[in-house]
Amino acid sequence: QAYIALLEGSPDQEQQDKGQLELKLLNSASQVRDHAKETGDWTDNHTEAIMAIGNALIAELDWEEDHVHQYLKEVVESIEGLEYGTEN
């Protein structure tokens, strides 16, 4: 039985994996922002990366869409002169 549980993964391990994924995604959003700052330009590639991160937070980690937008808005708007917009 213990062997089967190890193969299936424990709920604690699943939570730990989700926590690690969440940290990686949040860190990635900061890296996208930092890259835009370093290059002095926000491009479509930055937008696509931020959108992919947001989609992963929703799909993989069950974040509420409003919370995703709130977080990503803070990240993007930490660059002076940039505004975060959502497509409706």
Side-chain angles (χ1 to χ4, degrees), residues 2 12 15 19-20 27-28 33:
D12 289 343
Q15 275 303 111
Q20 289 177 353
N27 186 49
S28 294
R33 177 209 51 215

Side-chain angles (χ1 to χ4, degrees), residues 19-73:
Q20 289 177 353
L21 176 59
E22 185 175 46
L23 286 175
K24 286 179 184 178
L25 289 169
L26 299 179
N27 186 49
S28 294
S30 295
Q31 289 176 339
V32 170
R33 177 209 51 215
D34 293 347
H35 181 264
K37 273 185 179 179
E38 289 170 15
T39 61
D41 190 25
W42 186 274
T43 67
D44 288 343
N45 290 336
H46 294 109
T47 299
E48 289 172 16
I50 287 290
M51 288 174 59
I53 292 165
N55 289 336
L57 288 169
I58 293 168
E60 301 297 326
L61 299 170
D62 300 321
W63 274 41
E64 295 292 327
E65 189 172 343
D66 289 346
H67 292 130
V68 170
H69 288 304
Q70 180 182 353
Y71 177 76
L72 294 178
K73 178 178 176 155

